[in-house]
Amino acid sequence: MQYILERSKLFIFLILILMLVGVYTFLTLPQREVPETPPGLVLISTILPGAEPEEVETSITNPIERQLQSINGIASMNSISANSASIITLEIEDGVEPDGLINTIQQQAQRASGSFPDQAQDISVEKLDLTFPLVSYLFHGDEAELAELEEPLADLSDEVEAVSGVAGTQIKGLNGEQVVIELDGDALAENQLQPFEVLQSLQQANQPLSLGTHSDGEQQFVLTVQQGEGIEKLRELQVGQAAVPLADVASVELAETPAEDIVTFEGEPAISYTVFLQTGQDVPSVDDRVSDVIDSFNEDLPAGISAERYVSQAENVNEIFSSLYVSLLIAVLAVLIVTTAGLTLFGAFAVALTVLASVLIGLIPIPSLGVDLNQISVIGLIIAIGILVDDSIVVNDNIQRRYKLGDNAMTGAINGVKEVYPSIVSSSLAIVVTFSPLLLLSGGNGAFIKALPSILITTILASTVLSITLVPMMQYLRTKRKKRKVSDTPGFLGKPLEKLAQVYSGKVLKGVLKHPWLTGIGGLVISTALLSLALFTPFEFFPAADREEVTMNVRLAEGTTIEETDAFIQEVTQEVAAEDEDVNETTIFTGEGLPNLFASSMDNTGANTGQVAFRIDREATSASAFIDKWQPELRERYPDAEIFLDTIVQGPPVGAPVTVTVTGADIDELAALRDTLQEEMLANGATVVTDNLGAAVPAIEYVPERETLEDNGIALSTVTNQLQLLTQGVPLYTLYEGQTPYDVVLKQAGITEGEPIDLADFSLPASSSAASGEAGPPAAQPGPPELIGLDELLTAQETTALAQIPHRSGDRAITLRAFGEADDFEAQMLDVVDNARADLPAGYELSTGGENSDQEAFFAEIGILFLVVLLLVYLVIAFQFKSFGLPFLVLIAVYLGISGAILGLFLTQTPLSFLGVMGIVSLTGIVVRNAVVLIDFVETRRLTGDFNIEEAIIESGYARIKPIVLTSLTSIVALLPVAFSGDPLFEPLAVTIIAGLMFSGIFTLVMIPALYYLFNRKSKKQAA
């Protein structure tokens, strides 16, 4: 210590340089609204044109899933086999490096593709990164002019995606174009062509044409054939053996693609344009760069189109940070005022500088920990300010005490630090080991809270070092320069604090030591009784954000067209807007729904789904009240539709309260079990139960007339290919017209949408040998082939069919999502499941999960981590005091803190939430400090032999009461702005810490001396 003090100016200069580095780190930290919680999801999609769900399952989904099951690092695997498409969703385990795993997934998926049917398209494997919208615009107005924006918006996307920090863009509500080749049946017959011949010619035309090179002995020539470009190349393509131009037997035209989304803003047709942010980027700066590009684009919009800046994360960030920075500033000023109240002006300055230096230096390693500047990290700074001041006050107070005892500048600084540094180091280590396990929390909850323990750990470590170096250096320099008289009662609260110390040590502690059993046991009984108040305290895992947006998810019956779905949602939305004067704005996204705006999206989207975003008058009503009003009302009005209203939740995404998954081999048996479970759940408290199988859709099943097919030499695949051409068509490949890509689809004219299909209108040629009944080769010049009507080859039957087949971990599985309002809702649903499990057929299983189970898993995890925290704190204190018993006295302060936190939540009726639990865990490290400092001082006095046990306790109480009161007061005052901010996310955190500190502080000063006295007396008896 002497070495540092003799070079105080040099070390202070070094600290100032580190502070500047901390300022730079703070200014360059990326800002965002909430911490990034990467989804850790991988999507594998494969298209098999025209295939039914069972064929997709057998041909595509099963082979891929079999290959994926051998890969380590996949937490879960779910899939949907639907018409023409297989969608597999993988969740990556925590801690697994995603890029390497994705490469392995791609390799295994490609290995599975070797067994796919020839018409299957390439597998797509992608990590779901576009989950964080930066800004979203709505272009609304004249429908015809909106349609003209396709190419300009494509050019805009090229420009926006070139901006640093942009991950990509998404356009909704704009129907693109595709090249449709529509075969003319009469022209085909006239030219004696079959559709499959045209298909083969088109597929061959997409193969690269390579003639190689040729040398004439002098030069090397590349051999090429002149060909047309784009659509004109298709029209000129010669098809079939007769080499007929495609234009003679088909029309080749640009046509609108089928609508995937219909967007409406305030009743007007609209296009949604959303920009997504790369991970780890600063929201305001990227938003500024993107806004410059889009604002320039908007200047040239047609007169009939308006641009609305619909959602901006930067605006939310700036609004939230303005409020948090005000709270941070108030916390800093409050801490300064409190420290000044109990310290000399110079002492308050030394403490304030040490706190500031601790915060700034503690920020330096933050970027390497993967933490940015968000709500959680700023709250961490506010908590840190209240905690960091403790070390500095204790050291400063003890140095001042040494100077009052007559020590010189050097000796007083050295002795002042030497007497308290063991307790400071051990209590700081206790805080560090308290918060370190929080870094191990798994999943989205762990990623969400990571910033809090990270900032507290780094700043506490910085504070520990600086409090025993910077504070003594400043006091040494000041005292060395000029000998000053140390006031007995510094600060404007000095005299009241001195009076408090005298009353506490002279009266309170003496009374406590006369009745130690009554004090100790009585305090434990009171604190234990207070824990029961948790039963009467509201609970809310993550609160709803105080926002104006409410989203409504709508799902209609499978098979509903997107136009019908849009008409229904328009009707519902207009009713709500007309009947509720608190609705300010409505936007409808029919089809795939919102582009993840307002933390809202839908699963298993299609033509029968859609979402509505309501903006309400927040001064007149709340999002929760709006949902409570309209959700039951709309469900009653429209019982055939699934309708869910939701709002932004301040935390990771949550799911249904209870989910039940039934697994087995036969999909019909699974559907029957689903129906039974759904009926029982609705009868036992569930208000809505949805599932991922859905209702069967109307279908026409074509039964092959196999004898007729065989007699006419026609393969069934030829018939099904003909039907596919007549209905949805066959997707081919991508064609470029200039630089613009277009999907190419081959169809055959003849079927009109909205009219029944008459197979008698269509025919296929029989093979010549089958038609003549002769074997052997056909005649040299055969006549036109005999045509067989499709109605002779197929018999149509009306039936129902599955829209999709869901899998879980490679097995067929249906998941039900149950919603209800009862307090014992989960227990009711589990009873239903238990009853159903008893009657399950062999080979079928039931499993449960959901938001409630996830919360239980979180509390189980946090409970284990809390036990680890207590063990680590115990070991830290045990090593300091070299005792197995004394640490238990210190841990009683934790028990008192938890009791006080529950009392505070109960009195204010603040919900016990995720961050409330984090506040209780945080208390463990904070409240331990007061007990450690108090007991350490008693032990020091007792072991000198100059004091008996009663005198040591009284002397310790007199010396420690002032720093304990000041440090507790600063921590409480720092959090008061947060507690009164009205923020539903952070109020529970602030209330638990404030109430826990107040209750624990008071009871610690009374109970710990009493229990220590009893412990010491018992130890003496055992020694004797």
Side-chain angles (χ1 to χ4, degrees), residues 165-366:
V166 172
T169 58
Q170 187 176 31
I171 302 173
K172 285 181 173 286
L174 181 63
N175 293 337
E177 290 184 307
Q178 62 183 2
V179 176
V180 177
I181 303 171
E182 190 169 65
L183 298 174
D184 185 327
D186 294 335
L188 287 173
E190 183 180 337
N191 287 277
Q192 297 188 21
L193 283 173
Q194 296 301 318
F196 74 88
E197 294 181 85
V198 180
L199 177 60
Q200 287 178 344
S201 298
L202 284 167
Q203 290 172 335
Q204 291 170 1
N206 193 48
Q207 301 301 317
L209 182 62
S210 175
L211 301 179
T213 61
H214 174 72
S215 172
D216 64 357
E218 295 181 1
Q219 295 186 53
Q220 189 83 7
F221 295 93
V222 177
L223 305 180
T224 65
V225 175
Q226 184 180 14
Q227 301 182 81
E229 296 292 334
I231 297 175
E232 192 59 36
K233 175 183 176 180
L234 282 181
R235 294 193 177 109
E236 295 172 355
L237 176 68
Q238 296 176 330
V239 298
Q241 293 183 354
V244 178
L246 181 61
D248 289 354
V249 296
S251 63
V252 184
E253 304 293 343
L254 281 174
E256 276 195 357
T257 56
E260 293 183 353
D261 295 281
I262 301 175
V263 181
T264 309
F265 175 69
E266 287 290 271
E268 287 189 327
I271 296 172
S272 165
Y273 185 85
T274 306
V275 181
F276 292 88
L277 186 71
Q278 289 180 354
T279 57
Q281 295 294 320
D282 179 62
V283 168
S285 60
V286 179
D287 181 83
D288 288 341
R289 296 193 291 269
V290 169
S291 296
D292 289 342
V293 176
I294 298 181
D295 290 346
S296 177
F297 173 84
N298 291 342
E299 292 175 0
D300 299 324
L301 285 175
I305 297 177
S306 300
E308 182 85 11
R309 189 175 168 92
Y310 186 58
V311 178
S312 171
Q313 189 190 158
E315 292 175 2
N316 294 335
V317 168
N318 292 333
E319 180 182 349
I320 289 169
F321 272 68
S322 296
S323 173
L324 287 174
Y325 283 153
V326 169
S327 297
L328 184 60
L329 179 61
I330 293 173
V332 172
L333 292 175
V335 168
L336 289 175
I337 292 171
V338 171
T339 52
T340 306
L343 303 174
T344 63
L345 286 177
F346 185 81
F349 171 74
V351 169
L353 181 61
T354 304
V355 171
L356 179 61
S358 301
V359 170
L360 294 176
I361 295 174
L363 286 174
I364 295 175
I366 284 299

Side-chain angles (χ1 to χ4, degrees), residues 32 36-43 90 92 98-99 102 125-134 165-170 275-280 595-596:
R32 62 192 323 105
E36 286 184 329
T37 52
L41 298 177
V42 177
L43 191 69
L90 308 177
I92 300 174
D99 293 334
I102 289 174
V125 179
E126 58 179 335
K127 184 173 182 291
L128 296 183
D129 284 329
L130 295 182
T131 57
F132 206 79
L134 171 70
V166 172
T169 58
Q170 187 176 31
V275 181
F276 292 88
L277 186 71
Q278 289 180 354
T279 57
N596 206 28

Side-chain angles (χ1 to χ4, degrees), residues 39 110 177 253-254 345-346 353 381 413 436 483 496 582 589 609 672 686 707 760 774 778 827 851 889 982:
Q110 289 300 327
E177 290 184 307
E253 304 293 343
L254 281 174
L345 286 177
F346 185 81
L353 181 61
L381 288 175
S436 295
K483 183 70 175 178
D582 296 330
F589 289 78
T609 61
E707 289 187 8
E774 300 175 358
E851 181 187 343
L889 295 183

Side-chain angles (χ1 to χ4, degrees), residues 51-203:
E52 297 177 348
E54 290 196 58
E55 184 180 353
V56 171
E57 177 193 37
T58 303
S59 304
I60 306 294
T61 306
N62 287 343
I64 297 177
E65 289 182 335
R66 281 194 292 267
Q67 291 292 335
L68 296 178
Q69 285 175 344
S70 63
I71 299 176
N72 294 323
I74 297 176
S76 66
M77 176 169 61
N78 296 284
S79 68
I80 292 291
S81 300
N83 285 310
S84 303
S86 166
I87 307 294
I88 302 174
T89 305
L90 308 177
E91 182 182 0
I92 300 174
E93 290 180 356
D94 285 342
V96 174
E97 198 279 315
D99 293 334
L101 183 63
I102 289 174
N103 289 335
T104 304
I105 291 171
Q106 288 175 326
Q107 293 170 6
Q108 295 297 96
Q110 289 300 327
R111 185 172 298 174
S113 67
S115 63
F116 288 179
D118 293 339
Q119 63 269 37
Q121 297 183 7
D122 292 340
I123 297 177
S124 169
V125 179
E126 58 179 335
K127 184 173 182 291
L128 296 183
D129 284 329
L130 295 182
T131 57
F132 206 79
L134 171 70
V135 63
S136 186
Y137 285 79
L138 284 174
F139 300 98
H140 58 98
D142 183 73
E143 191 168 4
E145 290 185 322
L146 285 173
E148 298 298 322
L149 286 182
E150 179 182 6
E151 195 167 328
L153 285 175
D155 294 338
L156 174 64
S157 290
D158 291 339
E159 196 172 350
V160 169
E161 289 173 7
V163 173
S164 175
V166 172
T169 58
Q170 187 176 31
I171 302 173
K172 285 181 173 286
L174 181 63
N175 293 337
E177 290 184 307
Q178 62 183 2
V179 176
V180 177
I181 303 171
E182 190 169 65
L183 298 174
D184 185 327
D186 294 335
L188 287 173
E190 183 180 337
N191 287 277
Q192 297 188 21
L193 283 173
Q194 296 301 318
F196 74 88
E197 294 181 85
V198 180
L199 177 60
Q200 287 178 344
S201 298
L202 284 167
Q203 290 172 335

Side-chain angles (χ1 to χ4, degrees), residues 991-1012:
V991 168
T992 52
I993 295 178
I994 289 173
L997 276 173
M998 292 176 65
F999 185 86
S1000 174
I1002 295 171
F1003 273 66
T1004 295
L1005 290 172
V1006 176
M1007 287 179 58
I1008 296 299
L1011 294 173
Y1012 178 86

Side-chain angles (χ1 to χ4, degrees), residues 480-499:
K480 175 186 174 184
R481 186 174 70 250
K482 184 177 181 181
K483 183 70 175 178
R484 297 175 183 270
K485 182 180 179 182
V486 179
S487 172
D488 291 333
T489 56
F492 62 84
L493 287 182
K495 290 184 179 179
L497 287 174
E498 177 65 23
K499 182 66 174 177

Side-chain angles (χ1 to χ4, degrees), residues 452-497:
L452 181 67
S454 298
I455 282 182
L456 287 172
I457 288 170
T458 57
T459 52
I460 287 293
L461 291 175
S463 172
T464 303
V465 175
L466 291 174
S467 64
I468 59 178
T469 55
L470 182 57
V471 171
M473 283 191 291
M474 295 180 68
Q475 288 290 358
Y476 165 73
L477 289 176
R478 182 173 184 270
T479 307
K480 175 186 174 184
R481 186 174 70 250
K482 184 177 181 181
K483 183 70 175 178
R484 297 175 183 270
K485 182 180 179 182
V486 179
S487 172
D488 291 333
T489 56
F492 62 84
L493 287 182
K495 290 184 179 179
L497 287 174

